[in-house]
Amino acid sequence: MGLDESIFIFRMVLVVSIFFLCLYFYKRIVYVFGLKVYGVLLVAFALLILGQSMQIYELNVDQALEVNPRIVYSAALVFLVIGLFAVFARSIQDITHNKKLTKREIWLRKVYENIPAGIFVQKQGEIIYKNAQFSELQKLYGQDNPFSECQENQQDIWLTTPLSKRHDYWVSKFDLDNDAGTVFIITDITSVKLHESFVKKTGIELEEHGINAINLVLESFLQFLPGGLIYVGNYKEDEKRFSYVGHRGEDKGANLYDDLHTIVPNTQHNKWTWLTQTERSDFDVNNFVSEYDPAYLGSVILSNEQKTPMGIIVVLLDDKNAMNDLIMDFLSMASVRIRSELEHIYSQKMIQKSNDHYRGFISRSNEAIVDVSIQPAVVTDLTPDQQLEKIAESALIKEVNPEFNRLFEISGQCEFSDVLAIKSLKHALHYVLSSGYSNERIEVLHETSLGENKWISCRCISEIEDGRLTRIWLIIQDVTESKMHIQDLEYKTRHDALTGLPNRIALRDNLDSKVDQALQFGFKVGLLVIDLDRFKEINDALGHHYGDVLLKKIEPRVKPLLKKYRASLSRLGGDEFAVIMPSIQSAKEARQLASEILQKIKEPFDLGQLNVEIRGSIGISMFPEDGVDSGTLLRCADVAMYKAKTSAGGILNYRDDIDDNSPRRLSIMASMGSGLKSDQFYLCYQPKVNLKADKVQSCEALIRWEHPELGVVSPVEFIPLAEMNDSIILITEWVIDQALKQINMWVAQGLQIKVSINVSTRNLLDENLIPYLSEKLIEYEVPAHLLEVEITESALMADPERALETLNKISALGISISVDDFGTGYSSLVYLRQLPLDTLKVDITFVRNMCHNEQDSIIVNSIIHLAHNLSLSVVAEGAEDLETVKALEGMSCDEVQGFYFSKPMKADAFSAFCEQWKGR
């Protein structure tokens, strides 16, 4: 192939390419410099063909047309360049534009395909776009455009499928710009329309209830069940079966009035259950279901909140496909409404039944009952008098029973004015209005036409709506007999049967009442408990009859004495009486009255055939000193009365120290153990001064108790209580431990101080005392001569042999022994000589007054000489002044202990005292 042929082939390819390019742009009218692109390209194409033909056929164009081929090629080239430039520019523009359209189209396609509506675009009768939803509509109706008849804008249109199913659509139709086509947007609103229609129909005549309302619901459902049947039955509790209420649909001649027993045995309450024909074969169904032979069967048992069956709905369908979610929703709605109506029917029956029972109850009741309707209603925020006036104007009696007419002696028609004319009822109504319509029973006194008094119990039940009184029930009962019986029982319960005096129950109530008054006005209250001495002897010797006569004579004898004190007498039982003095200034008045009562009781009593003399004992308690309630005051007066039997005069006021079981004593006894564990106890030390050496050589350890509630409790109070049980053992061991620990500390400080501790009778009898002393001496490394044990004369004489044995063992340990309170007991001097004693301690009662009482001075001097003759040292306690100290020094007393030198003090203060004494 030559060069010319190659050039020819290249040119032909170029021409063909330009030709097809022109065809591509044929439908796209584009102007460049006012020319159509495809026209320019066609001219260039023609010129190229001409020039090429001239060359191929070797025509002499120059000669024939007088045209130079080069001119033709040049013109073709110019047109070609212009056309290509225009195509290139347009292509660039289109490419850019197409890229934007592509992204948008992708986004729109996703939206259109997923939107729950049919969308399509129609242009010149041809559908140029449609989404999947519209494609489904085309298949459903078998048409290319089922909505061709739709007008512009928006409209509601019903369409029927070839299977005769109707659907409602909302169609929106509008044109696009630049004649790009018409857009259709189709939304299926069938469910909305049906729902609207169903709600509208079922909501018609909402005031209609019962069977009529059920029939309205059934009729509104016919459009959803073509060829079907819906049946409703209610449940009869007494017969345990369902009974026909109503139906709608094609019954095919079936007997709908047969009773339905159980369609689906395991049906859940208020939940639809659907069974196919095969599934139904296992269940017992009645005739009309068998005759109908449905393709689809559904039922629901309608139950109340307590899951008690109210009724049943049965749906029978020939076409199983007719059932869909929409129909199920409507069936659920229908079942709710029908259940409501069945409940209404049931409620109406119950109301009617209740009304019948109510009227029967009222007519047969042994209570007087009146039912009052108030129309117009009365506002309850008026005053009671205003309300009663309004009620009188608008009240109408609805029911009144025979008992009401009989009780209040009403003949003929009873009007509300007759009710208000009865004073007792008017009083009861006024009370109810004043109390805010309380329905409590109130008892009022009713006077009959014959002047007879009766007690009636009245209860008022009010019906109030939105702050207005609309109804009142008055329920009245004649309680005269029971009231008198109760009053008699109350009197007998609160009074002594023999004397007629208030008994212990009445006394307590009366005493509490008087205490409350005294507390309010600042008075005192006195309580006297009187016991008749020798009454048992009279009762046993003369018989109970004479004893009863004597008891009855106590009130006439004592009562005149009580008037000036406004006091009252009660009988507590047996031969005990009590007197309450309600408002007195002091216990002196109570004691004065007690003395007068005893004087009267001592006077002889005439018992008919003989005169007898008795005595009495009186115990007195006072509010607020001895108690603030009746129980406490009675107990205290009783304690005082028993102690008074052994006291001079037979009268005694209550004191804690005479009460073996006072709350304080019990509290102290109960708290000792815990007090030791919680460090409530501590030791104080009182120095003993050696008069000859003028220095402090020893001291006495004295226990103290700081109670968290009772405050400081004196040893005089708690030591005797501790000696009554084993608490004294624990206390003594604690004292030994603390004293030896302190001696150890003082020895370390250079102080050689002998410490005396007190030991009781129970300690001397305690077998563990000696081992404990020995153990603690070793534990604290204390020399035995620095510890002294003090015992009392009474402790020595309680069990001399046992005491001697224990004291010998204590002495064997090297511990000194001292006899405390010497001179107050009855010890034998012979016995004292046998004891391993080191010291005698003269009792404070002799030392305190020795300078002013010669007898005391002689006793002290004798004890000092006796002790020295027995080779014992002497300690005198109770020295409170210098004169006493000098006198003791003159009698050669060895050591002196008392407030003149120092009161008992804690360990640190005692150490400082010793240092000061050294430096004086």
Side-chain angles (χ1 to χ4, degrees):
M1 181 183 296
L3 179 60
D4 292 338
E5 293 176 350
S6 299
I7 292 173
F8 172 77
I9 292 172
F10 170 77
R11 288 175 177 174
M12 289 303 293
V13 172
L14 179 61
V15 169
V16 172
S17 299
I18 293 173
F19 175 78
F20 281 108
L21 189 61
C22 290
L23 289 178
Y24 173 76
F25 286 100
Y26 175 74
K27 290 185 178 181
R28 311 184 68 168
I29 303 174
V30 181
Y31 291 87
V32 180
F33 306 116
L35 298 175
K36 292 183 178 179
V37 172
Y38 76 89
V40 175
L41 293 175
L42 285 176
V43 171
F45 173 73
L47 291 173
L48 287 173
I49 294 298
L50 176 60
Q52 189 65 37
S53 300
M54 290 171 63
Q55 188 172 7
I56 291 172
Y57 297 104
E58 297 180 352
L59 294 176
N60 191 350
V61 179
D62 183 38
Q63 295 177 357
L65 300 177
E66 296 181 356
V67 178
N68 192 332
R70 291 187 177 182
I71 295 175
V72 175
Y73 279 117
S74 296
L77 182 60
V78 170
F79 279 97
L80 182 60
V81 171
I82 292 173
L84 291 175
F85 176 79
V87 170
F88 177 77
R90 180 61 183 175
S91 298
I92 294 300
Q93 181 181 0
D94 288 347
I95 289 171
T96 304
H97 181 64
N98 287 340
K99 285 184 178 180
K100 294 180 180 177
L101 286 179
T102 301
K103 291 181 179 177
R104 186 180 180 196
E105 286 175 354
I106 293 172
W107 178 78
L108 288 174
R109 182 175 295 276
K110 289 183 179 179
V111 173
Y112 295 158
E113 290 301 324
N114 290 284
I115 198 169
I119 301 175
F120 70 95
V121 181
Q122 181 176 296
K123 183 177 181 182
Q124 297 177 358
E126 180 185 356
I127 295 177
I128 62 174
Y129 172 78
K130 62 181 178 181
N131 66 354
Q133 284 77 5
F134 180 70
S135 298
E136 293 298 325
L137 291 176
Q138 287 177 318
K139 295 177 184 178
L140 180 63
Y141 292 99
Q143 299 178 35
D144 189 40
N145 184 5
F147 306 94
S148 59
E149 300 300 326
C150 291
Q151 305 298 320
E152 294 291 335
N153 298 325
Q154 299 175 344
Q155 58 185 297
D156 186 354
I157 182 173
W158 280 91
L159 296 179
T160 304
T161 68
L163 298 176
S164 300
K165 291 186 178 181
R166 298 186 66 200
H167 291 270
D168 193 7
Y169 299 97
W170 183 257
V171 181
S172 180
K173 177 182 178 182
F174 56 90
D175 294 329
L176 296 173
D177 296 336
N178 300 324
D179 297 328
T182 302
V183 178
F184 290 77
I185 301 177
I186 303 98
T187 305
D188 190 339
I189 59 172
T190 308
S191 61
V192 176
K193 280 292 184 179
L194 290 178
H195 183 273
E196 179 183 355
S197 174
F198 182 75
V199 171
K200 184 176 181 181
K201 289 181 179 180
T202 56
I204 292 175
E205 303 292 345
L206 289 178
E207 295 181 358
E208 191 77 43
H209 287 290
I211 302 299
N212 291 337
I214 291 175
N215 289 332
L216 282 174
V217 175
L218 295 179
E219 288 175 2
S220 66
F221 210 80
L222 283 178
Q223 57 183 310
F224 306 126
L225 298 175
L229 183 143
I230 182 169
Y231 168 93
V232 176
N234 67 344
Y235 187 72
K236 293 186 175 181
E237 175 65 29
D238 52 348
E239 300 177 16
K240 304 297 181 185
R241 63 183 178 84
F242 295 100
S243 180
Y244 172 82
V245 169
H247 79 283
R248 287 295 184 275
E250 300 180 11
D251 57 19
K252 297 183 180 181
N255 183 6
L256 292 172
Y257 299 95
D258 285 348
D259 291 327
L260 264 174
H261 292 283
T262 305
I263 297 298
V264 183
N266 297 322
T267 297
Q268 297 183 29
H269 293 276
N270 300 319
K271 185 174 181 180
W272 281 90
T273 302
W274 297 92
L275 299 176
T276 65
Q277 191 171 12
T278 303
E279 292 171 325
R280 288 201 319 273
S281 61
D282 296 332
F283 300 107
D284 176 25
V285 296
N286 69 344
N287 294 334
F288 91 84
V289 177
S290 300
E291 292 179 19
Y292 194 95
D293 194 22
Y296 214 47
L297 168 66
S299 68
V300 60
I301 302 295
L302 304 175
S303 305
N304 58 20
E305 292 182 357
Q306 289 75 35
K307 294 187 177 181
T308 301
M310 302 292 298
I312 189 170
I313 302 176
V314 182
V315 173
L316 302 97
L317 299 175
D318 278 342
D319 182 9
K320 181 178 179 181
N321 295 323
M323 186 58 58
N324 55 41
D325 292 340
L326 177 62
I327 302 301
M328 284 299 302
D329 290 340
F330 290 161
L331 278 175
S332 297
M333 292 174 58
S335 65
V336 171
R337 179 63 189 275
I338 291 174
R339 183 182 67 181
S340 175
E341 294 308 322
L342 290 175
E343 288 179 342
H344 176 75
I345 293 173
Y346 179 78
S347 298
Q348 289 299 109
K349 289 181 179 179
M350 289 298 101
I351 291 172
Q352 183 61 41
K353 188 176 181 180
S354 176
N355 288 337
D356 294 340
H357 285 304
Y358 167 68
R359 290 188 176 90
F361 166 76
I362 288 180
S363 64
R364 294 189 300 270
S365 176
N366 59 359
E367 293 180 314
I369 301 175
V370 60
D371 180 1
V372 183
S373 175
I374 302 172
Q375 296 297 333
V378 174
V379 179
T380 58
D381 58 1
L382 299 174
T383 65
D385 289 332
Q386 290 173 334
Q387 290 184 63
L388 195 58
E389 183 179 347
K390 295 289 185 182
I391 291 171
E393 294 174 358
S394 57
L396 178 65
I397 292 182
K398 304 293 289 184
E399 295 283 346
V400 62
N401 69 345
E403 179 63 20
F404 184 89
N405 292 333
R406 186 199 64 78
L407 179 60
F408 296 106
E409 304 170 271
I410 298 174
S411 59
Q413 184 68 29
C414 179
E415 303 292 341
F416 190 71
S417 57
D418 298 326
V419 176
L420 289 182
I422 303 170
K423 292 182 180 179
S424 56
L425 293 186
K426 186 175 182 179
H427 172 74
L429 277 172
H430 197 277
Y431 174 82
V432 170
L433 299 178
S434 302
S435 62
Y437 293 93
S438 168
N439 64 354
E440 63 179 300
R441 283 192 173 273
I442 60 172
E443 293 183 353
V444 294
L445 197 62
H446 172 67
E447 185 178 356
T448 68
S449 59
L450 299 177
E452 180 185 357
N453 287 331
K454 287 188 175 184
W455 282 100
I456 60 172
S457 173
C458 182
R459 183 181 179 190
C460 179
I461 301 176
S462 310
E463 188 173 293
I464 299 175
E465 297 178 1
D466 299 326
R468 294 176 179 271
L469 178 67
T470 60
R471 201 163 191 172
I472 292 176
W473 287 268
L474 288 176
I475 305 173
I476 303 106
Q477 188 174 12
D478 184 355
V479 294
T480 306
E481 184 176 346
S482 61
K483 182 77 173 179
M484 299 304 295
H485 180 64
I486 291 172
Q487 287 180 347
D488 184 55
L489 287 177
E490 287 180 349
Y491 181 85
K492 290 180 178 178
T493 302
R494 298 175 60 84
H495 288 78
D496 176 51
L498 176 64
T499 62
L501 291 171
N503 60 12
R504 184 181 291 269
I505 296 174
L507 171 76
R508 292 175 72 100
D509 292 342
N510 190 20
L511 184 55
D512 282 330
S513 175
K514 299 304 182 185
V515 165
D516 290 341
Q517 294 176 12
L519 186 64
Q520 182 178 0
F521 297 105
F523 295 132
K524 293 180 182 293
V525 177
L527 177 65
L528 283 60
V529 172
I530 307 166
D531 182 74
L532 304 181
D533 299 336
R534 296 183 58 243
F535 175 77
K536 186 176 183 302
E537 298 175 14
I538 295 173
N539 224 15
D540 293 342
L542 303 179
H544 292 286
H545 169 70
Y546 288 98
D548 291 345
V549 172
L550 176 60
L551 292 175
K552 290 179 181 179
K553 289 181 176 291
I554 295 296
E555 181 189 14
R557 184 77 62 90
V558 172
K559 197 170 184 178
L561 304 175
L562 308 180
K563 291 182 179 179
K564 65 178 178 179
Y565 299 102
R566 294 187 296 110
S568 59
L569 180 67
S570 301
R571 184 188 178 199
L572 299 180
D575 60 348
E576 286 190 5
F577 295 82
V579 174
I580 299 175
M581 302 180 70
S583 55
I584 57 177
Q585 298 300 320
S586 67
K588 184 178 179 181
E589 296 177 63
R591 197 171 185 88
Q592 176 63 34
L593 176 60
S595 178
E596 294 174 6
I597 291 174
L598 286 187
Q599 285 299 118
K600 276 291 181 183
I601 289 177
K602 289 178 182 179
E603 296 177 5
F605 285 88
D606 183 4
L607 302 184
Q609 298 180 354
L610 70 163
N611 292 335
V612 297
E613 294 182 3
I614 61 172
R615 304 285 181 183
S617 301
I618 299 179
I620 303 172
S621 64
M622 298 290 297
F623 164 83
E625 291 89 340
D626 303 323
V628 294
D629 59 85
S630 60
T632 304
L633 291 172
L634 271 169
R635 193 190 70 81
C636 293
D638 207 46
V639 169
M641 182 268 292
Y642 279 107
K643 295 292 183 180
K645 288 180 176 295
T646 58
S647 67
I651 300 173
L652 192 63
N653 290 74
Y654 175 81
R655 303 190 309 273
D656 281 342
D657 60 349
I658 67 172
D659 189 353
D660 295 335
N661 297 303
S662 69
R664 178 179 175 87
R665 288 164 63 91
L666 293 176
S667 177
I668 290 173
M669 294 179 71
S671 302
M672 289 183 190
S674 60
L676 289 171
K677 294 177 182 178
S678 57
D679 297 327
Q680 296 174 15
F681 290 88
Y682 59 93
L683 289 181
C684 286
Y685 302 90
Q686 188 173 30
K688 300 176 184 178
V689 178
N690 188 309
L691 296 178
K692 294 179 180 179
D694 190 26
K695 65 183 196 177
V696 179
Q697 293 180 325
S698 61
C699 66
E700 182 179 4
L702 300 169
I703 189 171
R704 296 292 183 263
W705 186 6
E706 184 73 33
H707 195 282
E709 297 175 0
L710 302 177
V712 176
V713 183
S714 170
V716 176
E717 185 176 11
F718 72 80
I719 291 297
L721 297 178
E723 289 179 343
M724 295 172 63
N725 52 41
D726 290 337
S727 295
I728 192 64
I729 303 296
L730 298 176
I731 289 175
T732 301
E733 289 180 350
W734 180 87
V735 171
I736 292 171
D737 178 83
Q738 296 297 310
L740 291 175
K741 183 189 296 183
Q742 188 58 53
I743 294 172
N744 176 274
M745 295 172 63
W746 281 334
V747 169
Q749 298 172 10
L751 285 176
Q752 296 288 326
I753 301 295
K754 178 186 287 188
V755 178
S756 300
I757 59 172
N758 293 280
V759 175
S760 71
T761 305
R762 289 182 65 89
N763 294 127
L764 292 179
L765 303 178
D766 179 23
E767 295 179 355
N768 192 50
L769 177 63
I770 304 303
Y772 188 81
L773 282 169
S774 177
E775 176 187 341
K776 290 298 177 179
L777 286 171
I778 295 172
E779 178 182 347
Y780 291 110
E781 300 178 349
V782 171
H785 71 274
L786 292 181
L787 182 65
E788 184 176 59
V789 170
E790 290 190 8
I791 56 175
T792 62
E793 282 189 85
S794 57
L796 290 173
M797 303 311 297
D799 189 346
E801 294 183 4
R802 185 82 171 269
L804 177 60
E805 181 183 354
T806 302
L807 291 177
N808 283 331
K809 292 179 180 180
I810 291 174
S811 179
L813 293 175
I815 300 173
S816 301
I817 300 174
S818 171
V819 177
D820 195 8
D821 302 334
F822 188 80
T824 60
Y826 305 95
S827 55
S828 168
L829 294 178
V830 176
Y831 178 68
L832 286 177
R833 286 187 60 198
Q834 299 175 5
L835 297 176
L837 302 179
D838 298 288
T839 305
L840 288 182
K841 200 170 186 182
V842 184
D843 187 67
I844 189 174
T845 56
F846 302 120
V847 177
R848 181 179 294 154
N849 296 316
M850 60 178 290
C851 294
H852 308 287
N853 188 309
E854 184 178 358
Q855 295 297 325
D856 286 349
S857 178
I858 293 172
I859 291 174
V860 171
N861 190 43
S862 298
I863 292 174
I864 293 173
H865 283 84
L866 173 64
H868 287 163
N869 289 333
L870 294 173
S871 300
L872 303 175
S873 63
V874 180
V875 178
E877 61 176 343
E880 298 181 357
D881 52 48
L882 180 60
E883 183 181 4
T884 302
V885 173
K886 291 295 185 182
L888 290 170
E889 187 177 11
M891 295 177 182
S892 301
C893 183
D894 301 302
E895 290 183 311
V896 177
Q897 175 183 349
F899 284 179
Y900 174 75
F901 299 110
S902 174
K903 294 181 179 181
M905 54 192 135
K906 291 186 178 181
D908 293 342
F910 181 84
S911 300
F913 177 84
C914 292
E915 292 296 328
Q916 292 176 0
W917 193 273
K918 289 180 182 179
R920 75 173 190 169

